[in-house]
Amino acid sequence: EIGYDDNRSVAMGLVVEAYMEMTKDGNNVYRPDAHTYAHMFKAIACLLPSDSLSSDDYAEKLVLCKTIFESCCREGQMTKSAFWVLSKLFRDENEFLDFLLPQLSGYVEVSKDRLLRLKDDSLYKFLPSEWSRRGRNYKSLNSHMR
């Protein structure tokens, strides 16, 4: 009998497989867009909840988040919605900022203390504009942060 965790694992495998297919070199028909990235982070949130993961599984989750985040930014598809969901994938705000700061290196000079004092929507404004050059065109993904 397949249990709840097994179903989530199978579903996450399908999500990752679909994403990998979309990002293959030469696939010019179905490329990830801002909606894809936002939904990838939502799928991770639903299928890999942090409070139910072992340390090893949580580390794998963070590697997956980093891979998707870097692709999203490289493609210019970051949106407020995707960024907000990504921030909630971490166990706490400190951990999220530990993830984010190295990504910002070379783009923005800012300390972790300064970022900790910002509200979520202000934190999004610290991201390099090139990371959202395409994503900002998706009004529904940028209108609010909940």
Side-chain angles (χ1 to χ4, degrees), residues 59 93 101 117 127:
E93 188 177 21
L101 275 170
R117 291 191 301 264
L127 300 182

Side-chain angles (χ1 to χ4, degrees), residues 11-99:
M12 193 67 227
L14 292 171
V15 167
V16 170
E17 185 179 323
Y19 173 76
M20 297 305 290
E21 191 64 31
M22 291 176 79
T23 59
K24 274 186 182 176
D25 287 340
N27 178 2
N28 296 321
V29 178
Y30 302 108
R31 299 294 304 169
D33 65 7
H35 286 281
T36 306
Y37 291 110
H39 289 292
M40 284 299 299
F41 293 134
K42 288 176 185 177
I44 293 168
C46 291
L47 298 172
L48 299 174
S50 297
D51 59 354
S52 69
L53 297 176
S54 69
S55 294
D56 288 345
D57 288 342
Y58 185 71
E60 285 183 35
K61 172 184 173 176
L62 296 184
V63 168
L64 179 60
C65 288
K66 183 177 184 213
T67 300
I68 295 167
F69 176 78
E70 288 174 347
S71 178
C72 180
C73 293
R74 190 174 45 254
E75 297 294 323
Q77 300 286 1
M78 183 54 66
T79 62
K80 285 182 182 180
S81 179
F83 187 72
W84 185 84
V85 174
L86 172 68
S87 74
K88 301 307 175 196
L89 294 175
F90 294 81
R91 291 188 172 137
D92 60 44
E93 188 177 21
N94 274 315
E95 194 172 79
F96 175 59
L97 294 179
D98 287 340
F99 167 85

Side-chain angles (χ1 to χ4, degrees), residues 1-13:
E1 180 177 309
I2 295 178
Y4 181 69
D5 287 339
D6 293 330
N7 286 339
R8 287 195 312 198
S9 179
V10 169
M12 193 67 227

